[in-house]
Amino acid sequence: KEQVSEINNERLVLSKLKHESIVGMKAAWADKNHYYLVFDFALHGDLLCFLKKHQIISSKLAEYFSA
């Protein structure tokens, strides 16, 4: 039940965010077993995948991502 609360909170926050650096959420729904979230297309994937692949990044790149 805690996961359901976390998902609902994330859905609520993402539905209100409008920023060029944050992928927009287009739709959200649930069925008996799953939650579905539909996001804008992100050409290069997400930051977590990027960091897992590169592990170490320059301070200039870190500054870019944090801006």
Side-chain angles (χ1 to χ4, degrees), residues 23-62:
V23 175
M25 187 179 72
K26 295 297 186 185
W29 70 95
D31 62 23
K32 184 178 176 185
N33 299 310
H34 299 93
Y35 277 88
Y36 302 90
L37 302 174
V38 179
F39 294 94
D40 289 329
F41 176 72
L43 181 60
H44 298 290
D46 64 43
L47 180 57
L48 181 59
C49 289
F50 179 86
L51 293 173
K52 283 181 179 178
K53 180 179 178 183
H54 295 281
Q55 293 184 352
I56 297 173
I57 60 173
S58 70
S59 58
K60 195 166 208 141
L61 191 55

